[in-house]
Structure formats: structure tokens, C-alpha cells
Amino acid sequence: MKVVSAAVVVLAALVVAPSASAQAPCRPTEFHVAPDGADRGAGGARHPWKTIEHARDQVRAKKKHQKCDIVVNVRAGDYVVGETIEFTEADSGENGHRIVYRSVDGPRKARLLGAEPLTGWEKYKGEIYRTKVDRTFYTLFEDGRRATTARFPNRRSDDVWAPYLTSVLKEPEKEAVHQWLYSRPGEWDKSWNLDNAQVTVWSGGSWSWFTDTVPIQNPSWDDNQLTLEHWTRYALVNSGGGSRYFLQNSLDFLDQPGEYFFDFAKGEVYYWPRGSIDKVVAPTVQTILSLAGSAPGKRVQNLAFDGLALQYSDFVGWYRNGWISAGDAGVPHKYPEYDRQIEMPRNRFGAVTLTNTRHIDLTRLHIADTGFTALYLLFANDHVRISDSLLENIGADGIKVEGPYPGEGDVAGHNVFTNNYIHHVGELVPGDAAGVELMNTGHNEVSHTVVRHSARYGISLEVRPEVKDGDGYAHGNVFKYLRIEEAGLDSGDMGAFYTYGVSNTDPHPITNHVSQVVIGDVIPDASMPDSGTRGVHMDAGGCGFSFADIEVGEVTDDKYQSYQCNEVTNANWADGFDASKMEYD
């Protein structure tokens, strides 16, 4: 398949009816779910059930001695998800057969919505409305479009993160602080009410690698100081340089359409609608679908979800990527440094979350407007297929695989992620965002995929540079027929294709393969203070790769940065590039 056709192929796939078991020698058992059904019914075509949860429970009871696939036909309509829909090993297909949940009326027709409308609005002031709510949430949507948490300074447009303020060094001995943010005199207004406010910051001074979103504990106006409730990942001033940041969630910042403020103490939401106040919805769940076996030896397996649309999920009130120091997790590990690489337990979720699974098919999905990662695979997952899907307007990563801690068992891999179109990732967590991020996992295929619009990466593969040979599992991966566009929009010292800590000891045998990749321009926002952007960045330990037929657009640093430990054939940063070998139109 030609790279440029990836989006077309995805969309074409979305209009082809699925075959539940094309090769099966038996006729699948079928059940039906419909928005106007009744869970007291028999689940047949004439008397469908009402909820997927009830269908799951009934199938669990009926699948003993399963002799053929079981298909749950989810009819067109909206299914509001008030609590995460959970599948365990008790819901697995048996005897080599699958259990399939499919949008029977066509892809995207059955919609699982992780949000409910907000009602009871009354005019507050000007164009701003106010309502009481009975739950807490950390993102908001109007008519299928994410609202912006009221912020200062105002963002330039809905699909960028800039502009920012920049922290300053109050005193030389306070350069290493992670909890005190200082401003220049006059940048902040002493009349602001910051009781519910947060700061979103590229901590680390000039390093533009990770973003933290942290509640503000209290301001000290006379000292031009904000004290944060939690430490940021890196210091707020580094090598004399300040960190870019903005303040958010104060009523004093609510000054334009599409912005909202949440008064957590009073349970009140204020919103200035772009259009109709009657089309505002707020998340009910962080995760819509959870597939979780109780242990690596007790996995959910032989399940498939086809053609479903999943829209809306929640974020968190405090976010930091990983622990600050090795060992901070408080759990003994062979490589405690990996604590700094992996999400903290409180942030291990996605709109679809998998852990302890095997032989799961997620096909022809449409996932949109998530609070955090769209598809999150944690620890023991293998032979998972994610294909023919559209992921858009994602809070963090599109697809994220977090394999096990190094040296503790190779239990994740052999997954296929193909024919997907992923765009606008990292909307709430621009730092470290990627269309596809693989961590300490091997023998995966990422292919025939477009990633577009990311503050940082398009595709990444990471472990840690401290990991010795044999203890890291990120080998045998294949990346082919990829197009990455608009990466590196707000960060530096990066590559649209990025690796870190994969092979850390000579002689670096070639175990990962990259071919037929087209990378567009990688140009950051003018406010970005870090070193330049690259097409391909093989960071420390980014060794043991073969590259063939790679083309990179304009960058602010090198198109390719690597140690002398990889093989390159026909790339446009080297002499003799032959464009005729690129398989695109």
C-alpha cells in the first residue's frame, strides 16, 4: 500500500461490512443490543437488549462449551457510558472461537459516549452561563468540539498551545526548585482568584520534553511566587533558563467563546459557548472500555470490537509524566530508573485500556475527544490488533504500549497496529505526546499509518539507557509505510521518529527495521527555547536499527541524528537519494 493512501484506505475500510468469522465452519450465535431495547428481553433481533453490559453478562453465562463465534450486534444509536464497561477473563472467547461486539448497521453508527449533557444553565454575565454539577471533570465539550479551560495568556487558536509566559529565577539558590514558580513583576494581576487554578508547564527550563499540569496551592503576590501542590518533573528554571507555562481555570481568565471555568469547591461550571449552550457535555468516565485479566497468566483473550465509535472521556486534575527519581515508585525493581519512564499508576488509563490480554482485535474504530490516551496497553498484552481506525482530537497519545519493567519478563509484544489515521494528539498533554508510543515491547508492527499534528513525536520506541542487553525487550519491531506530518509543533530536542535506550551495549545487532517513511516539515512554535527539531532522532541507546527509503522535510536541526550504530539505505539526508524508490504518489 502506498503511504499517501493511508487515510483513504482507513476511510474506505469504514464502509465495508465486517465478517464475524469468515473462515469459521459453523454459524455464529448472534445477539442484539439497541438503544430502545430492554434488558429483560431475549436479546434476539426482535427483542434486543438495551446495554452492552447486559449483553456481556448474558454471553458470559451462555458461552460454556463454546463451539462457534458469538456475535453481539450493537445497533445504531447513542449509548451513554456512566461507568466503565469492563471485560475480564470470564468474558473471553473459548475453544479457539471469538466473541465479537460490532456496530451492525455500519462503522461509527453505534456510539459509546463517555459524557452526559450539562443542563440547568442560567445567564451569569454577558455571554457567560453558569450551572450546578454533581460530579468533577477536567475537560469539556460543545457540539463535538473540546472547550478550552479558561487560561492566561489566551491561546492563539484551538489547535496550538502557545503563547506562554516564562518562569524566572528569583534567587540563584532556587534554580533547582520544582514547586515554586516565579514571574516577572507586573505579569500577574494581584486581583486574580486562583483558588481553583492550575499551571501547565514545560518544566525543565529550556528543555521542552514533558508537560506538567499541577494545581496551584497558593500565590504570594508580593514575592511574585506561586506554590504548586505537587512537584513538577523537572526544575522550573534550568541552566538559567525559565520554563514556558500558562495559568488556567480561574473565572478571571474566562474572556472569550469556547472557554470554561470549574469552581470545584462550589460545584459550579461557567461557560461561554461558541454556539448553543444546549450542546455542552461533560465526561462521565476516564475509560469507556476496559479489558483486564486478573494476572498475566489469566488473560482476557479472543475478543473483538468492530466498527464502534467511542467519544468523550475525562482527564485528571494533576498530571506529571512518571516519577521524578529512580525508586520513587516505592516498589523494588531490577531497573528502578524505569520509574521515570513509565506513567504513575494514577495515570495508567486510556479511553480503551488493556492489561493482561491476548488475541484482541480492535478494528474500524472511531475514537475522538479523549481526555487522555486513546488506546492504552499496559504490561502483559500480546497479539493485539488495532487496525482500520480513525483516532482524532486525543488528550495525550493515540496508541500507547507500556511493556513490563526491564529484566522482569518479556510479556508484551507481537502486536499489529496497521492502517490507522491518527491526528491531533496531545491536546491536553503536549509533552511527550505521540501518535504511537511503544515502550519496552518487541516484535510489533506499525504500518500503513498516518500521524498528523503533534506537539512532540509522531512515532517513538523507548526503554532506558541503563538497561543491559537481554533485559530490554524492544527488538524485532517493524515500522513501514508511515507518513508523519506536523510533528514537533511545540517542543525541541526531538525527532518525528524517535528512539531512546533500545540497544545500549556494543556491538548493536540490527533488530528493528524502518522503511518507507515520509516525514513532513518538523517546525516548532517560535516560543520553543530548546535545541532543534529533527526528522529522525536516535537518542542515547537508539541503536540496532535499519533504515531504508526515508524522506524528511524541513527541520530546524538535522534531518537525521544518530550514533554510528545503525544502517541507512536511501535516505534524503545522504548523498545519492533515489526518490523513485519511495512508494508514494
Side-chain angles (χ1 to χ4, degrees), residues 89-110:
E89 63 264 34
D91 302 304
S92 297
E94 297 181 356
N95 304 319
H97 300 292
R98 299 189 305 164
I99 298 174
V100 181
Y101 293 79
R102 68 177 181 181
S103 177
V104 67
D105 296 314
R108 304 170 64 176
K109 299 297 184 182

Side-chain angles (χ1 to χ4, degrees), residues 498-528:
Y498 176 82
T499 68
Y500 177 64
V502 173
S503 176
N504 303 306
T505 308
D506 287 333
H508 306 299
I510 302 300
T511 63
N512 291 300
H513 304 277
V514 186
S515 63
Q516 291 295 340
V517 178
V518 177
I519 297 173
D521 296 345
V522 188
I523 306 297
D525 187 81
S527 69
M528 199 283 296

Side-chain angles (χ1 to χ4, degrees), residues 250-285:
S250 169
L251 185 57
D252 294 307
F253 304 154
L254 207 172
D255 58 3
Q256 61 183 9
E259 288 190 334
Y260 78 96
F261 159 66
F262 197 143
D263 188 326
F264 298 117
K266 294 182 179 179
E268 294 178 342
V269 176
Y270 297 73
Y271 184 58
W272 185 338
R274 299 183 182 97
S276 173
I277 193 64
D278 297 324
K279 295 183 178 181
V280 178
V281 300
T284 53
V285 292

Side-chain angles (χ1 to χ4, degrees), residues 292-562:
S294 57
K298 296 181 179 180
R299 301 198 188 195
V300 182
Q301 55 189 338
N302 300 327
L303 272 183
F305 296 84
D306 181 77
L308 299 173
L310 295 87
Q311 188 175 17
Y312 307 129
S313 63
D314 205 4
F315 186 42
V316 292
W318 164 53
Y319 177 79
R320 183 183 69 224
N321 186 288
W323 282 274
I324 294 173
S325 301
D328 279 358
V331 178
H333 288 290
K334 185 173 183 178
Y335 292 95
E337 297 87 355
Y338 202 66
D339 287 349
R340 304 183 67 241
Q341 203 69 22
I342 194 169
E343 296 282 5
M344 294 186 293
R346 66 189 307 276
N347 300 325
R348 293 175 183 171
F349 67 91
V352 179
T353 303
L354 283 71
T355 186
N356 297 327
T357 73
R358 175 175 290 136
H359 294 297
I360 304 297
D361 290 340
L362 303 169
T363 57
R364 305 190 310 161
L365 302 181
H366 179 201
I367 302 179
D369 301 318
T370 68
F372 198 47
T373 293
L375 292 146
Y376 179 63
L377 283 66
L378 175 65
F379 297 155
N381 299 282
D382 65 65
H383 296 89
V384 174
R385 181 181 183 87
I386 300 172
S387 68
D388 309 305
S389 294
L390 174 63
L391 314 180
E392 58 182 341
N393 305 119
I394 306 302
D397 295 324
I399 299 171
K400 183 165 188 171
V401 180
E402 288 196 325
Y405 271 73
E408 299 181 14
D410 187 0
V411 295
H414 300 276
N415 305 303
V416 175
F417 311 126
T418 188
N419 207 38
N420 298 304
Y421 192 94
I422 305 169
H423 73 90
H424 285 79
V425 298
E427 289 192 337
L428 298 181
V429 185
D432 204 49
V436 180
E437 181 175 19
L438 307 182
M439 293 179 55
N440 203 27
T441 176
H443 303 282
N444 302 289
E445 176 185 319
V446 181
S447 63
H448 302 287
T449 290
V450 173
V451 175
R452 181 171 65 85
H453 200 91
S454 169
R456 195 149 174 78
Y457 306 126
I459 309 286
S460 71
L461 176 65
E462 305 173 38
V463 190
R464 284 289 304 183
E466 301 88 356
V467 176
K468 297 178 181 178
D469 286 352
D471 287 340
Y473 310 124
H475 302 287
N477 295 294
V478 174
F479 304 87
K480 61 183 180 180
Y481 296 100
L482 305 174
R483 180 180 287 275
I484 302 173
E485 301 173 343
E486 300 174 30
L489 291 174
D490 204 16
S491 66
D493 193 16
M494 54 72 64
F497 183 92
Y498 176 82
T499 68
Y500 177 64
V502 173
S503 176
N504 303 306
T505 308
D506 287 333
H508 306 299
I510 302 300
T511 63
N512 291 300
H513 304 277
V514 186
S515 63
Q516 291 295 340
V517 178
V518 177
I519 297 173
D521 296 345
V522 188
I523 306 297
D525 187 81
S527 69
M528 199 283 296
D530 206 345
S531 63
T533 55
R534 305 165 189 111
V536 176
H537 184 189
M538 311 302 286
D539 208 342
C543 295
F545 286 72
S546 71
F547 290 90
D549 305 317
I550 315 294
E551 187 171 8
V552 177
E554 295 299 317
V555 296
T556 62
D557 195 356
D558 298 322
K559 292 187 176 183
Y560 173 76
Q561 185 175 96
S562 173

